[in-house]
Amino acid sequence: PRRGSNEIVKRNDLVDVVIKVGNGEIRLKGARAMESGQRGDTIEILNSKTNRRIHATVVGPNLATLSPATRRL
């Protein structure tokens, strides 16, 4: 990810991850950002409940999305 003042997610921030499923969505709350990112960046996020790391795309302040094709949480 690019570094700079436009980062809307900072390393160690708690973020919500929205996972699109069919016509709905699932929201994973309180995952930890393992790196900083700007809107559109793909960053590594730690799901503290399962201790798994996932990659999600930053879409807003403390908010990221995950494609259903990405590995399971």
Side-chain angles (χ1 to χ4, degrees):
R2 299 175 298 278
R3 302 279 179 234
S5 61
N6 292 331
E7 293 170 343
I8 55 177
V9 172
K10 304 278 191 210
R11 179 177 162 80
N12 289 322
D13 277 356
L14 293 180
V15 298
D16 289 355
V17 180
V18 176
I19 303 122
K20 303 282 186 193
V21 180
N23 292 330
E25 62 184 36
I26 298 169
R27 188 172 288 246
L28 170 66
K29 293 191 164 283
R32 185 164 306 276
M34 302 308 293
E35 53 191 333
S36 299
Q38 300 176 12
R39 188 179 309 272
D41 286 347
T42 298
I43 62 169
E44 187 175 38
I45 295 174
L46 175 66
N47 178 348
S48 55
K49 292 181 178 72
T50 62
N51 220 24
R52 289 190 187 194
R53 292 173 186 244
I54 58 174
H55 288 89
T57 303
V58 176
V59 293
N62 300 328
L63 185 63
T65 60
L66 182 69
S67 161
T70 310
R71 275 182 58 159
R72 290 182 39 189
L73 299 176

